[in-house]
Amino acid sequence: MKDLKVLIAEDEYLILMGLKSNLENLGCKVIGEATNGKELVKLALEKKPDLIIADINLPVMDGLEALRRISEKVFIPTLIVSGYDDEELIDRAKNLGVLGYLIKPIDESDLKAEIEIALSRFEDIKSLKNELEVTKETLESRKLIEKAKGIIMERLRLNEEESMKFLQKKSRNSNKKLVDVAKEIIEADKAFRID
């Protein structure tokens, strides 16, 4: 948690100062303080903090709406602070992907535990997103390779195994990835098709 860059949003000055003090005691760096939702969005997008801790009831734009706007642009782990244990607010926070919900008053040990859990969940989510991207890319590559194989089978009258060997040989000889060779074959085929 040392040197964790945190952006906080709270419109009550005493609570803001208490939260800042607790965070600094935990070794965090408070890189910005917002007192309304619009300011929170602006600071989050400018400063790209490691963590956002925001009050749910902010003036100008409520904390959840501000976090929704931030999450459309950048993925930052977030904790919500509220004076209320309200099911509707908790559900809204969950649906936004908020990683923790703290009820005021917040003591340092609760804050520490909530931050550690939120950061751990965030890393898990990031890892899953990366895996999903790799899976999507792999699937897209397979589709392209299959399409290129089909074109080769049709044009050169080869069977599936022979067309795959043809693709692999072309890939090796041109020192290009198999998927890149597949894309070239698909593009070349498009140029010769009369639709």
Side-chain angles (χ1 to χ4, degrees):
M1 211 179 299
K2 189 160 175 53
D3 296 330
L4 184 73
K5 296 182 294 186
V6 183
L7 171 60
I8 53 179
E10 172 61 66
D11 63 324
E12 295 179 45
Y13 182 75
L14 290 176
I15 295 172
L16 179 75
M17 288 300 105
L19 187 55
K20 183 177 180 180
S21 174
N22 285 340
L23 287 165
E24 288 171 346
N25 289 343
L26 293 171
C28 300
K29 288 184 177 175
V30 176
I31 61 165
E33 302 164 21
T35 55
N36 67 60
K38 194 173 178 183
E39 193 178 11
L40 170 59
V41 173
K42 181 178 177 282
L43 287 172
L45 297 178
E46 278 176 11
K47 296 187 178 270
K48 306 269 193 304
D50 300 323
L51 176 71
I52 295 172
I53 301 176
D55 187 3
I56 219 162
N57 291 316
L58 292 171
V60 184
M61 178 190 305
D62 84 14
L64 292 176
E65 176 58 22
L67 295 175
R68 186 189 66 73
R69 291 187 186 191
I70 293 165
S71 69
E72 287 175 352
K73 304 243 192 281
V74 64
F75 186 42
I76 300 171
T78 306
L79 297 176
I80 277 290
V81 176
S82 178
Y84 312 100
D85 182 9
D86 180 296
E87 282 301 315
E88 184 186 329
L89 291 176
I90 292 169
D91 284 343
R92 279 183 63 206
K94 277 194 304 191
N95 291 335
L96 275 172
V98 169
L99 299 176
Y101 192 98
L102 291 157
I103 309 285
K104 297 175 191 176
I106 305 161
D107 72 27
E108 197 174 301
S109 61
D110 288 343
L111 184 61
K112 182 180 188 292
E114 203 64 35
I115 289 172
E116 287 176 359
I117 290 168
L119 293 177
S120 175
R121 283 188 195 144
F122 178 72
E123 287 305 316
D124 291 345
I125 292 166
K126 227 167 59 172
S127 177
L128 286 171
K129 279 186 169 194
N130 289 340
E131 284 177 34
L132 182 61
E133 276 305 307
V134 168
T135 303
K136 277 182 181 176
E137 284 176 24
T138 303
L139 186 59
E140 190 58 35
S141 294
R142 281 195 183 143
K143 284 180 185 176
L144 292 169
I145 291 166
E146 287 302 314
K147 188 172 183 173
K149 271 183 10 187
I151 292 167
I152 294 165
M153 288 168 66
E154 180 186 319
R155 295 245 182 230
L156 301 179
R157 307 274 185 244
L158 299 174
N159 67 31
E160 191 173 351
E161 186 181 334
E162 291 168 334
S163 64
M164 185 62 186
K165 285 181 180 174
F166 177 88
L167 261 175
Q168 290 169 332
K169 184 177 180 188
K170 198 151 183 60
S171 170
R172 275 192 309 274
N173 290 346
S174 63
N175 200 21
K176 292 180 181 175
K177 290 182 179 179
L178 198 58
V179 70
D180 293 334
V181 171
K183 285 178 187 174
E184 289 173 359
I185 289 170
I186 293 166
E187 286 303 311
D189 186 61
K190 280 182 191 173
F192 288 104
R193 285 210 184 268
I194 302 168
D195 292 325

